[in-house]
Amino acid sequence: MILFLDGGGTLAARDVACEEIIRKHTQSEELISIKIEDNMDWDRVCRLLEDAHAIVLAADVYLDSVSSTVLRFLERVEQAVIGGESIGGRFYAILHTELYEGEHTSVAMEVLKNFCVHANIVWGRGLGIGGSKVETTVHRGSLWSIFNQGTADFMVNALQEQALFIRERVQGTDVYINPKEVSRRGYIRKKKKKMKKSNRVKIAQNM
């Protein structure tokens, strides 16, 4: 059984959820998804952690860290292990950042590795995805879709590869990716344009 921990903000390319891609490419393996929240059924969480062969955490990274809710969850897992709970599944991380370089998730990835050491969980593999705000929805049949194909698929391809490691429950080298066929300057320019448009909409709504 694969336990998918939804730490928030895990949409991947073409509006396909990260969870759905992992589920599809792990095939017959049972996948149970739970959203990390402050109020969780902790007894059920502990049972799932005990039974899982693989544990997958997908979350956004802000200021070099996952959310405080995710950090509190990890701390509670550590306490449960100290209290005698057994966790044998390998741990896999999928981290997203709005910044262009996927390497900006590396600090948060080290935090998760440190958690695994304290919780006595074997680290499997980390995937850090940059450019999470890149436009990934492509209108089919349009000329623009031909040029945007690589951009639209860069997250999906990386997630499919991560799913193979999860399915086989093997360890691998952490991977950090950036949006393909989009320059850093072009990505920042698009983000600023989108932000200005969003601000204009908010101003219009408040008038």
Side-chain angles (χ1 to χ4, degrees), residues 128-170:
I129 303 176
S132 64
K133 292 299 182 182
V134 73
E135 186 62 49
T136 55
T137 302
V138 176
H139 300 290
R140 293 182 180 178
S142 67
L143 180 62
W144 186 245
S145 67
I146 298 174
F147 299 104
N148 262 351
Q149 189 66 38
T151 300
D153 290 343
F154 87 101
M155 294 185 195
V156 170
N157 294 337
L159 287 167
Q160 289 173 350
E161 183 183 44
Q162 184 77 340
L164 294 178
F165 280 86
I166 295 168
R167 187 181 70 193
E168 301 301 324
R169 291 187 280 278
V170 295

Side-chain angles (χ1 to χ4, degrees), residues 193-207:
K193 184 177 180 180
K194 191 172 183 179
M195 189 181 300
K196 288 180 181 178
K197 183 178 179 180
S198 177
N199 289 337
R200 286 198 298 268
V201 171
K202 289 179 181 179
I203 292 172
Q205 290 173 345
N206 293 330
M207 289 181 66

Side-chain angles (χ1 to χ4, degrees), residues 36-38 66-74:
I36 297 178
E37 300 172 318
D38 287 325
V66 292
S67 71
S68 58
T69 302
V70 172
L71 290 175
R72 285 194 294 271
F73 172 82
L74 297 178

Side-chain angles (χ1 to χ4, degrees), residues 18-102:
C18 171
E19 174 193 341
E20 293 175 4
I21 294 176
I22 301 300
R23 188 187 299 275
K24 177 181 178 181
H25 289 86
T26 49
Q27 299 172 347
S28 59
E29 185 85 16
E30 180 186 15
L31 187 148
I32 297 177
S33 176
I34 58 174
K35 186 170 180 59
I36 297 178
E37 300 172 318
D38 287 325
N39 297 318
M40 301 176 69
D41 183 349
W42 192 247
D43 289 336
R44 178 172 180 262
V45 171
C46 285
R47 289 195 301 271
L48 292 173
L49 287 170
E50 286 183 358
D51 296 339
H53 297 111
I55 301 164
V56 184
L57 170 66
D60 277 352
V61 171
Y62 300 102
L63 300 176
D64 292 334
S65 181
V66 292
S67 71
S68 58
T69 302
V70 172
L71 290 175
R72 285 194 294 271
F73 172 82
L74 297 178
E75 288 176 1
R76 194 165 182 182
V77 172
E78 283 188 30
Q79 293 170 1
V81 172
I82 294 172
E85 299 291 348
S86 175
I87 300 177
R90 293 199 171 184
F91 194 95
Y92 299 86
I94 302 170
L95 301 181
H96 295 256
T97 177
E98 289 187 23
L99 299 176
Y100 181 78
E101 296 85 0

